Amino acid sequence: METETQTERTQPSRASQDLSEAIKEATKEVHTQAENTEFMRNFQKGQVTREGFKLVMASLYHIYTALEEEIERIRDSPAFAPVYFPEELHRRAALEQDMAFWYGPRWRLAIPCSPATSCYVQRLHEVGHAEPELLVAHAYTRYLGDLSGGQVLKKIAQKALGLPGSGEGLAFFTFPGVPNATTFKQLYRARMNSLEMTPEVRRRVLDEAKAAFLLNIQLFEELQGLLTPESQNQSPPQTPGLHHRASGREQDPSPAGAPRGKAPLPSHSPAPLLPWVLTLLTFLVATVAVRLYAL
């Protein structure tokens, strides 16, 4: 009993720990899952195709459009206002530049959206409307992760795809409003740690941070099933699993009974477009792995 008391005294309680550190600790397991995948290693080797990268960027456009729509709605709320940094962090405008580069002037009609991307988008809108205080979890895991790992991924894609050094097609990875990433991340964490929330809200924020990473991991697991020998031997169906949609809200409801803080599983599976699958898996899992511990 005495030993347990000493341990409790030397380790900060979950409630007294800074929110940023608590999120890092809560998401440690999903980071390990992402880090130990062969797809992350493949991406680091530069095994990425041009067509696959286009699809990845399209997914990011849909995700950030949804996230920033919801952020704009609650930007003046005490639950989010301290971490509202649109000039420094928002990615939608940069991704619009990238969409024009990859898909041409009529990109809004051409960009695809995978079922798992739709699932992510749906979760963001669901949280934004029902529990907006949880958006801080999504903002933190996405923005600071991309700010941390963006330059690494940018260099890999630039080299693998033979893209110009001036950065065309990779605006997403550039943060011109952040001259010093380390200093800015310190500011962001301090602002986030200053947010006032009840113990119950704090618990749900931590759960939502895990859900944010699980949305990426679940995409990996969904597509991994297509890589079995049985799937590879099947003929592709006539209707592809990717669909085109406007950047507005996904209308499909969440599965009934989905637990709070857990990412809903996609309700339909994409067709086995294996070249795209390999690239998308590699990129998204690499993003999770490279980002998390740089937060």
Side-chain angles (χ1 to χ4, degrees):
M1 191 68 178
E2 182 179 354
T3 302
E4 293 176 354
T5 302
Q6 291 175 347
T7 301
E8 290 171 359
R9 289 174 180 171
T10 56
Q11 293 181 353
S13 69
R14 190 174 182 179
S16 64
Q17 191 179 28
D18 285 341
L19 182 60
S20 59
E21 287 299 315
I23 289 178
K24 181 177 179 179
E25 180 179 319
T27 54
K28 187 180 298 184
E29 183 177 349
V30 288
H31 164 256
T32 301
Q33 293 174 17
E35 187 178 45
N36 293 328
T37 61
E38 62 179 305
F39 301 103
M40 184 269 289
R41 293 193 296 269
N42 288 341
F43 186 86
Q44 291 178 332
K45 295 175 183 176
Q47 297 177 1
V48 55
T49 67
R50 195 177 187 90
E51 188 60 30
F53 191 73
K54 288 173 59 177
L55 292 167
V56 170
M57 298 301 285
S59 291
L60 290 173
Y61 170 77
H62 291 303
I63 290 167
Y64 274 95
T65 294
L67 176 60
E68 289 166 13
E69 283 178 359
E70 297 305 327
I71 286 175
E72 287 300 315
R73 288 198 316 103
I74 67 162
R75 64 184 185 181
D76 296 323
S77 167
F80 196 87
V83 292
Y84 179 65
F85 291 97
E87 296 300 321
E88 293 85 353
L89 295 178
H90 282 197
R91 299 287 84 204
R92 182 174 180 175
L95 282 162
E96 287 177 348
Q97 296 178 35
D98 291 337
M99 293 301 97
F101 176 87
W102 293 109
Y103 289 94
R106 303 188 67 187
W107 61 268
R108 293 183 190 275
L109 301 176
I111 58 173
C113 184
S114 74
T117 301
S118 294
C119 180
Y120 201 151
V121 167
Q122 180 178 326
R123 180 60 183 171
L124 290 168
H125 285 307
E126 178 185 291
V127 168
H129 280 72
E131 301 178 284
E133 64 274 15
L134 305 188
L135 277 177
V136 65
H138 288 279
Y140 175 70
T141 54
R142 283 235 64 104
Y143 287 124
L144 263 66
D146 293 324
L147 183 61
S148 298
Q151 293 307 303
V152 175
L153 297 175
K154 177 182 178 181
K155 290 178 181 178
I156 292 173
Q158 212 163 27
K159 181 177 180 180
L161 302 175
L163 296 174
S166 49
E168 286 90 344
L170 298 169
F172 168 75
F173 300 100
T174 303
F175 291 78
V178 182
N180 186 303
T182 300
T183 301
F184 180 81
K185 285 187 290 184
Q186 291 173 346
L187 170 64
Y188 192 96
R189 292 190 191 99
R191 292 279 192 91
M192 188 174 70
N193 293 338
S194 73
L195 293 172
E196 295 185 6
M197 58 183 66
T198 65
E200 171 60 19
V201 170
R202 180 184 173 93
R203 181 189 66 78
R204 289 191 284 118
V205 167
L206 298 183
D207 286 344
E208 194 63 29
K210 288 185 284 187
F213 284 100
L214 284 170
L215 283 163
N216 287 300
I217 298 298
Q218 286 176 344
L219 175 62
F220 164 76
E221 292 173 345
E222 175 192 60
L223 299 180
Q224 174 67 23
L226 300 175
L227 303 179
T228 61
E230 292 79 7
S231 298
Q232 293 179 15
N233 292 331
Q234 292 176 355
S235 298
Q238 295 300 314
T239 304
L242 298 175
H243 58 278
H244 300 273
R245 60 187 286 272
S247 60
R249 188 176 312 150
E250 184 71 21
Q251 297 298 318
D252 294 337
S254 297
R260 174 177 293 175
K262 298 297 183 182
L265 287 171
S267 58
H268 51 294
S269 299
L273 304 177
L274 294 181
W276 171 74
V277 169
L278 288 169
T279 301
L280 183 59
L281 285 174
T282 300
F283 184 87
L284 287 175
V285 174
T287 299
V288 174
V290 171
R291 296 187 318 178
L292 180 56
Y293 269 84
L295 291 180

